[in-house]
Amino acid sequence: MTRAPAIQYFVETQNGEWTVRRDGKRYGPYRDRSVALRQAVDAAHTSGRNDRPAQVLVQGEDGTFMAEWTYGDHSYPPPD
């Protein structure tokens, strides 16, 4: 059974703006999904390098979140 990383960054759209949420705090807004995603991956990568594994989840059109990037499983920087 795989455990979810201790730190999760949620890339989501709220009121038409893209934000990143972690531990109940929101960061942004960002001009679009790709910019918000890159900010979240950069933060998750820094966290992972500091021995705090992290994961980025992105909100889909149906409102559910899917894992998009996980420290140690995906390349950094991610391809554009």
Side-chain angles (χ1 to χ4, degrees):
M1 179 176 188
T2 303
R3 272 185 350 154
I7 298 174
Q8 294 181 312
Y9 293 86
F10 295 89
V11 176
E12 56 194 0
T13 184
Q14 184 178 39
N15 300 322
E17 296 181 320
W18 285 95
T19 61
V20 175
R21 179 174 46 91
R22 176 182 169 225
D23 295 333
K25 294 182 183 176
R26 289 195 191 282
Y27 303 91
Y30 301 99
R31 73 173 181 255
D32 58 34
R33 178 189 181 276
S34 64
V35 174
L37 177 59
R38 183 56 188 254
Q39 291 296 317
V41 169
D42 288 348
H45 181 259
T46 298
S47 177
R49 289 183 53 124
N50 290 316
D51 296 324
R52 299 191 65 208
Q55 183 176 53
V56 176
L57 298 100
V58 177
Q59 184 179 29
E61 289 183 23
D62 63 358
T64 61
F65 288 89
M66 298 291 293
E68 181 81 16
W69 190 91
T70 303
Y71 182 81
D73 290 348
H74 296 97
S75 64
Y76 182 84
D80 288 330

